[in-house]
């Protein structure tokens, strides 16, 4: 409880620290070299603008593009949420394309059932997690960190076996 009070006393400081850590961890595997808003190269204006939204690094060619996408409520398409959703879908599709060839599991992380025709690809942060059906999504959402760990552990085993 003391940590909650400390956080509430200065949330901006702790959010800034968390976002810096998320950026440092996700930047090496970031799958796109173009702006999520404009489609222009990330370095078109010198350096990319990095923002963290819902624990996911999103990169833009400039602060203006970042503001256009991230200022809207993603749950309200009428208020510009469609732009945010479009950027989110582009980023998730890029992570799926990047990680699918080396995805280490043949079974669902929730049920243990084989992945098949109803498989759903979820991206949490920068990690692809595959589940056997839409019904398993609730289980994933209950503890995403646990299931990301299952995928990462399997990937690490594959990496060790290959070396």
């Amino acid at each position: 409880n003391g940590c909650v009070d400390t956080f509430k006393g200065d949330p901006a400081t702790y959010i800034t620290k968390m976002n810096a850590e998320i950026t440092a961890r996700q930047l090496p595997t970031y799958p796109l070299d173009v702006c999520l808003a404009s489609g222009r190269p990330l370095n078109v204006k010198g350096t990319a603008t990095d923002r963290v939204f819902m624990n996911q690094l999103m990169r833009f060619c400039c602060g203006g593009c970042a503001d256009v996408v991230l200022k809207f409520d993603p749950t309200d398409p009428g208020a510009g949420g469609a732009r945010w959703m479009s950027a989110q879908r582009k980023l998730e599709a890029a992570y799926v394309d990047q990680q699918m060839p080396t995805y280490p599991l043949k079974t669902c992380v929730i049920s243990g059932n084989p992945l098949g025709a109803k498989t759903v690809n979820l991206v949490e942060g920068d990690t692809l997690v595959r589940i056997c059906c839409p019904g398993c999504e609730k289980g994933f959402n209950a503890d995403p960190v646990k299931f990301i760990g299952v995928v990462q552990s399997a990937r690490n085993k594959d990496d060790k076996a290959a070396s």
Side-chain angles (χ1 to χ4, degrees):
N1 288 337
C3 292
V4 171
D5 292 339
T6 301
F7 177 84
K8 287 181 178 178
D10 189 9
T13 294
Y14 298 105
I15 290 170
T16 299
K17 286 180 182 180
M18 287 187 306
N19 288 347
E21 181 66 23
I22 289 167
T23 299
R25 287 183 183 202
Q26 294 181 13
L27 190 58
T29 61
Y30 192 80
L32 296 171
D33 58 2
V34 295
C35 176
L36 282 169
S38 69
R40 295 183 295 185
L42 287 173
N43 63 356
V44 74
K45 292 192 174 187
T47 59
T49 297
D50 296 338
R51 295 283 195 275
V52 174
F53 188 76
M54 297 177 64
N55 296 326
Q56 188 171 52
L57 174 62
M58 299 179 97
R59 304 192 79 204
F60 302 91
C61 65
C62 65
C65 282
D67 291 344
V68 164
V69 170
L70 298 179
K71 75 178 177 180
F72 296 110
D73 178 352
T75 63
D76 184 359
R83 286 186 182 181
W84 182 89
M85 291 300 294
S86 174
Q88 183 70 17
R89 280 191 298 273
K90 285 179 196 173
L91 183 55
E92 287 185 0
Y95 274 119
V96 170
D97 289 347
Q98 176 193 60
Q99 295 176 33
M100 187 67 78
T102 60
Y103 190 77
L105 300 171
K106 304 282 186 231
T107 58
C108 176
V109 295
I110 307 297
S111 69
N113 291 332
L115 298 173
K118 294 183 181 181
T119 297
V120 176
N121 295 321
L122 304 172
V123 175
E124 184 70 28
D126 64 346
T127 303
L128 170 63
V129 178
R130 304 185 79 209
I131 56 176
C132 65
C133 65
C136 285
E137 193 164 355
K138 183 177 179 181
F140 174 79
N141 290 334
D143 194 357
V145 172
K146 174 183 174 182
F147 301 111
I148 289 170
V150 171
V151 172
Q152 290 173 339
S153 178
R155 182 167 278 127
N156 289 340
K157 285 179 186 175
D158 283 356
D159 290 346
K160 287 179 184 175
S163 57

